C-alpha cells in the first residue's frame, strides 16, 4: 500500500452530506473553532451559513494550485469521519483510492491488516476481516 497521494477523492466524494460529526466534536468547534461551527446546522456539517443548504464540497478542502493534490485547512480539528477514513479495502476500491497497489487487490485480507496498522493512530482496527 502506498502513502496517501492527497488526491482528494475521499474528501470530494463524502463532503456533500456523506459525513457526520459527533455532538462532542460540534461542541468543541463551538467553543474553540467558531469558524468551523458556522458550517454546522441542526447537527449536520458543511452547511452554507447563509442559505442553510448542504454544500457540495467541504469548505475547508483546498486544491493546491497547478497540482492534482488537496489539503485540509482544519486537518487537526477535522471530524472523526475524516480521521478514520479509509476504514476498509472495499471502501478504498469503491472510491478508487490511489493508495491501493495491485498486490492489495490480489490479497485484500493482508491489505486490510496493513491498512489497520497504518491507521492505528487514527481509529480502531476493522473487525470484520480474517
Amino acid at each position: 500500500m502506498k502513502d496517501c497521494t492527497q488526491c482528494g477523492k475521499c474528501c470530494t466524494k463524502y463532503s456533500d452530506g456523506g459525513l457526520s460529526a459527533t455532538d462532542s466534536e460540534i461542541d468543541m468547534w463551538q467553543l474553540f473553532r467558531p469558524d468551523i461551527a458556522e458550517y454546522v446546522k441542526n447537527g449536520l456539517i458543511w452547511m452554507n451559513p447563509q442559505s442553510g443548504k448542504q454544500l457540495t464540497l467541504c469548505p475547508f478542502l483546498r486544491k493546491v494550485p497547478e497540482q492534482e493534490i488537496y489539503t485540509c485547512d482544519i486537518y487537526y480539528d477535522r471530524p472523526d469521519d475524516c480521521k478514520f477514513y479509509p476504514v476498509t479495502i472495499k471502501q478504498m476500491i469503491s472510491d478508487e483510492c490511489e493508495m491501493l497497489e495491485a498486490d492489495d487487490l490480489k490479497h485484500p485480507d493482508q491489505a486490510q491488516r496493513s491498512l489497520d496498522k497504518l491507521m492505528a493512530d487514527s481509529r480502531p482496527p476493522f473487525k470484520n476481516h480474517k
Side-chain angles (χ1 to χ4, degrees), residues 39-99:
Y39 289 93
V40 176
K41 182 176 173 103
N42 299 324
L44 301 174
I45 62 172
W46 311 159
M47 307 301 284
N48 183 311
Q50 287 76 38
S51 71
K53 295 186 191 252
Q54 180 70 57
L55 295 171
T56 57
L57 280 177
C58 171
F60 304 101
L61 180 65
R62 301 283 175 256
K63 186 174 182 299
V64 175
E66 300 178 27
Q67 295 184 48
E68 292 301 316
I69 63 173
Y70 290 80
T71 62
C72 175
D73 290 348
I74 61 167
Y75 186 79
Y76 295 106
D77 295 314
R78 69 196 188 280
D80 283 347
D81 273 5
C82 299
K83 290 175 188 170
F84 291 178
Y85 184 89
V87 176
T88 66
I89 297 301
K90 183 178 179 180
Q91 179 184 42
M92 294 172 75
I93 292 168
S94 174
D95 296 345
E96 300 176 352
C97 179
E98 294 183 9
M99 291 172 62

Side-chain angles (χ1 to χ4, degrees), residues 118-129:
L118 178 72
M119 299 296 292
D121 290 341
S122 298
R123 62 163 173 77
F126 180 67
K127 298 287 186 198
N128 291 335
H129 67 85

Side-chain angles (χ1 to χ4, degrees), residues 105-116:
L105 301 175
K106 291 178 192 170
H107 307 285
D109 289 338
Q110 176 57 41
Q112 184 67 53
R113 286 189 289 277
S114 296
L115 176 62
D116 289 343

Side-chain angles (χ1 to χ4, degrees), residues 15-60:
S15 69
D16 63 349
L19 296 173
S20 63
T22 64
D23 289 341
S24 62
E25 288 172 308
I26 293 169
D27 290 345
M28 188 272 302
W29 294 334
Q30 289 172 335
L31 286 171
F32 301 108
R33 293 294 308 265
D35 57 319
I36 300 173
E38 73 178 309
Y39 289 93
V40 176
K41 182 176 173 103
N42 299 324
L44 301 174
I45 62 172
W46 311 159
M47 307 301 284
N48 183 311
Q50 287 76 38
S51 71
K53 295 186 191 252
Q54 180 70 57
L55 295 171
T56 57
L57 280 177
C58 171
F60 304 101

